[in-house]
Amino acid sequence: MKIKARRLSVVLCALVGVVIWLVVNPASYDEIFTQVEDTGAESGAVVSDDFSEGRLATEVLEELAVKGRAPKTGYAREEFYDGWPSIDGCSLRQRIIRRELGESAVIADGCNVVSGEYDEPYTGKHLVFNERTEISDGIQIDHVVALSDAWQKGAQGLSADERYEFATDPLNLLAVDAEANKKKSDGDVATWLPANKKFRCQYVARQVSVKYKYGLWVTQAEKEAILRILTNCPNERVIGV
């Protein structure tokens, strides 16, 4: 399977000597979270200095299978994971929030982000958080490719370990505005796009990256919607492919 081969792949940046592992396993979390760049309305959340050297999103999209949705029968969040894992004592949720807020993040107890600010990608708004309760209420961690969508487009055939990797892969996670995330729900590109038009090209390229990495498919309507967005940015690149 494609995911098996990509466990061994690395992205090498010869100019700056940065190596970013994009296949998720507990041993590589520190590398992922110390070397990725923060998210902004103008940028993707997991990028490397050689991001421009990746494959074109339009090319990778053509390699995705096109099928109808499989039945949702048997879907449950627990088929992927049961709560955010703890990595070196800090939950994955806190690590993703810290990644997005970047240098502005104020940390308490070694893990918890209690304040900070960032350009939220789905709305394009600059959000400022002065206390932890504001972060808890205002930010949700979104699966860029929703778990339910994945279940209906190939994830049923993945092993339990592969589904766990999919659900906890930083490539597939963004800290986003809570209300925007609720509106997205489990929609794919054919049914939902970020209100922030400047982020749409990167958003669909990220979906293509995740679906290719985990061997998932797209519907015809979804593929057409992705192509419409990429028409405006034909040089958009995928991540880690």
Side-chain angles (χ1 to χ4, degrees):
M1 293 181 65
K2 292 176 180 176
I3 182 173
K4 300 292 187 182
R6 280 162 184 78
R7 279 181 177 273
L8 302 176
S9 66
V10 295
V11 180
L12 301 177
C13 180
L15 295 178
V16 296
V18 176
V19 177
I20 297 181
W21 289 87
L22 289 175
V23 178
V24 176
N25 57 70
S28 65
Y29 271 110
D30 285 341
E31 294 175 352
I32 292 170
F33 286 102
T34 57
Q35 297 182 34
V36 295
E37 296 179 1
D38 59 300
T39 302
E42 299 289 336
S43 66
V46 180
V47 296
S48 66
D49 289 328
D50 69 344
F51 180 74
S52 62
E53 299 301 321
R55 297 176 61 196
L56 290 173
T58 50
E59 293 178 353
V60 177
L61 176 62
E62 291 303 319
E63 298 181 22
L64 298 183
V66 178
K67 303 180 184 180
R69 286 181 178 270
K72 196 175 178 180
T73 306
Y75 168 73
R77 198 174 189 86
E78 292 74 19
E79 291 291 335
F80 292 84
Y81 75 129
D82 185 11
W84 297 116
S86 177
I87 311 300
D88 292 335
C90 295
S91 79
L92 180 57
R93 170 182 165 82
Q94 292 301 320
R95 284 176 173 266
I96 294 296
I97 294 174
R98 183 174 183 174
R99 181 187 71 184
E100 315 297 37
L101 271 57
E103 294 182 357
S104 76
V106 176
I107 311 300
D109 303 321
C111 292
N112 299 316
V113 182
V114 295
S115 65
E117 58 188 278
Y118 78 130
D119 293 328
E120 195 281 326
Y122 285 177
T123 65
K125 297 177 181 178
H126 185 76
L127 301 182
V128 179
F129 303 96
N130 297 306
E131 56 185 41
R132 187 177 179 184
T133 56
E134 293 179 357
I135 294 175
S136 298
D137 294 339
I139 289 181
Q140 292 182 358
I141 306 301
D142 180 44
H143 289 95
V144 178
V145 176
L147 302 185
S148 173
D149 182 63
W151 182 258
Q152 297 173 78
K153 297 174 182 175
Q156 294 184 44
L158 299 179
S159 69
D161 287 344
E162 289 165 345
R163 288 197 297 269
Y164 177 83
E165 287 188 8
F166 170 85
T168 60
D169 189 341
L171 177 64
N172 194 33
L173 299 174
L174 287 177
V176 301
D177 176 74
E179 290 304 314
N181 192 40
K182 291 175 183 177
K183 290 179 180 178
K184 175 190 173 182
S185 186
D186 60 357
D188 61 18
V189 174
T191 59
W192 186 89
L193 284 167
N196 179 17
K197 293 182 178 180
K198 292 181 179 180
F199 190 68
R200 286 181 177 179
C201 286
Q202 294 163 57
Y203 176 75
V204 301
R206 197 180 187 89
Q207 286 230 347
V208 171
S209 302
V210 172
K211 291 205 166 186
Y212 183 85
K213 179 176 179 180
Y214 289 93
L216 308 179
W217 67 73
V218 292
T219 64
Q220 185 61 42
E222 182 182 3
K223 181 177 181 178
E224 292 172 359
I226 293 172
L227 284 173
R228 283 195 296 271
I229 297 299
L230 293 177
T231 297
N232 300 315
C233 44
N235 294 320
E236 192 70 30
R237 308 282 174 162
V238 294
I239 304 171
V241 176

